[in-house]
Amino acid sequence: MTGLVVSGVSASYGATEVLHGVDLTVESGSTAAILGASGCGKTTLLRVVAGFHSADAGAVRIGDRTVAAPGFAMPPEKRGIGYLSQEGSLFPHLTVAGNIAFGLPRSSRRERARTSELLELVGLPLALADRRPEQLSGGQQQRVALARALARRPELVLLDEPFGSLDAGLRTSTRRAVADALSAAGATVLLVTHDQDEALSFADQVAIMREGRFVQVGPPKQVYSAPVDRATAGVLGELVLVSGEGRGDHAVTALGTLPVVGAGATGAVDVGLRPEQLVLGPASEGTVAAVVDAVDYFGHDALVRLVLTQGPDAPGATGATGATVLSRVVGDDAPTPGDVVGVRVRGPVQVFAHPNGAAPTS
């Protein structure tokens, strides 16, 4: 059963069309993340689904109910939706229990059983029930806001950049707690974010939006490892581009002869790799020699900038000496600037034909 179906939705602000015939299907009980740059239309789509903004064309169905169609728009409060924003928007004058109960029917607001159940669901102790929002951490406030959003057992939960206001330490733990709570509740979830780590780790399906259209929709691993174009690849994280010559199922580059995803292009191409595909070790036969130019250390991992050097230890390599690439390594394994290392590529790479015959990038 499908939890959410968006069909051919277009929407505008005045004379400016923001969404252009958008289609999206989210299976019941699953999570979809809409990922894209600011201004691409992702929040507008969320507002159309919620009923806060009217579509110019197309339809929205939640479960077995059509909530928006040409000439018809169900009021937001009747759509069976829970909504969680970046700010959480808790009422400062109410306690935690009062905030959660606010999402319940008036006849049930004085009952503590459902409030206790929801606090347990979002991983908060019952002892917090009588505290006010300012007495909670940012992560706790977001969990309370989620409990309020789940109070009426909505069919669909909309998350609008819900972790953006949290610091790095809280973001990961809160994201995991929210994901667990939503899974336990069996809700269908639509997340809007510009954070690729959030989208890839949180969702069952990632939809990449650009200029009011979805350019790729699929499982996180698929869209990350096989993006449809270089712009999409860049949205999903660090991308290493080296020039090369496409030869069908492989490409010849300064990093050697590499297998490619899919059929691949022929002739002059850009070859795209993720930094973690570049494996470092001693310079030896079968590797490409490189000098470590700089290291950005993050603790758990490090991003290493390398300048390739061409020589007898780089069999099959082609291209100009001096090309710069990035490698991601475990933090404890980070080399030192000035070190000479050997580079090999793990796994197949993505090949992008040069647009309009443009020159190679490196």
Side-chain angles (χ1 to χ4, degrees):
M1 177 181 175
T2 51
L4 171 68
V5 178
V6 176
S7 305
V9 165
S10 297
S12 304
Y13 290 101
T16 303
E17 187 173 8
V18 178
L19 297 177
H20 312 279
V22 171
D23 297 311
L24 181 67
T25 299
V26 185
E27 295 300 319
S28 180
S30 71
T31 297
I34 303 175
L35 180 65
S38 296
C40 71
K42 57 187 186 295
T43 295
T44 298
L45 178 58
L46 204 72
R47 289 175 57 80
V48 168
V49 172
F52 301 153
H53 188 81
S54 298
D56 300 328
V60 177
R61 193 174 80 241
I62 298 173
D64 58 0
R65 300 175 303 135
T66 296
V67 299
F72 169 73
M74 183 180 290
E77 66 273 14
K78 295 185 179 298
R79 296 192 180 197
I81 288 175
Y83 188 89
L84 180 60
S85 66
Q86 179 174 329
E87 297 79 16
S89 300
L90 297 179
F91 299 112
H93 64 289
L94 296 179
T95 63
V96 166
N99 269 281
I100 295 173
F102 190 85
L104 295 170
R106 288 184 180 274
S107 60
S108 304
R109 288 183 185 179
R110 293 186 179 181
E111 299 176 8
R112 295 290 289 242
R114 179 60 175 158
T115 299
S116 300
E117 177 188 339
L118 287 161
L119 281 171
E120 182 179 356
L121 182 66
V122 299
L124 291 177
L126 186 58
L128 297 182
D130 295 321
R131 292 190 185 181
R132 297 196 183 272
E134 72 270 13
Q135 297 174 300
L136 306 178
S137 70
Q140 289 171 332
Q141 290 181 30
Q142 282 300 83
R143 295 192 202 191
V144 173
L146 176 64
R148 184 178 62 188
L150 293 174
R152 290 177 177 264
R153 296 183 173 87
E155 293 182 65
L156 175 67
V157 177
L158 305 179
L159 307 177
D160 189 1
E161 305 275 7
F163 314 111
S165 62
L166 304 178
D167 61 41
L170 276 176
R171 192 175 299 130
T172 300
S173 61
T174 303
R175 187 166 62 212
R176 184 69 267 156
V178 168
D180 290 345
L182 290 167
S183 177
T188 304
V189 181
L190 186 61
L191 164 72
V192 158
T193 182
H194 64 272
D195 184 324
Q196 68 266 16
D197 292 338
E198 190 168 288
L200 294 170
S201 65
F202 194 84
D204 304 300
Q205 177 181 226
V206 176
I208 309 298
M209 179 169 276
R210 186 162 65 239
E211 296 179 352
R213 295 180 173 88
F214 286 132
V215 294
Q216 186 171 6
V217 179
K221 185 176 181 180
Q222 181 187 82
V223 297
Y224 182 78
S225 60
V228 294
D229 54 35
R230 75 189 74 202
T232 301
V235 167
L236 292 165
E238 292 282 357
L239 181 67
V240 178
L241 286 174
V242 296
S243 60
E245 181 183 345
R247 297 180 181 177
D249 63 355
H250 66 279
V252 180
T253 76
L255 290 166
T257 300
L258 309 174
V260 305
V261 176
T266 58
V269 294
D270 277 339
V271 176
L273 311 90
R274 298 298 182 185
E276 60 269 20
Q277 289 185 260
L278 275 66
V279 180
L280 306 186
S284 61
E285 185 176 352
T287 67
V288 176
V291 175
V292 177
D293 181 55
V295 177
D296 293 329
Y297 180 74
F298 302 106
H300 49 76
D301 65 9
L303 203 59
V304 182
R305 188 164 72 239
L306 304 157
V307 178
L308 303 182
T309 59
Q310 194 168 0
D313 290 332
T318 184
T321 302
T324 301
V325 297
L326 294 174
S327 171
R328 181 176 287 112
V329 301
V330 175
D332 288 345
D333 296 338
T336 301
D339 285 353
V340 176
V341 297
V343 184
R344 63 179 178 86
V345 175
R346 175 175 54 199
V349 299
Q350 195 81 4
V351 168
F352 306 114
H354 288 306
N356 302 320
T361 59
S362 63

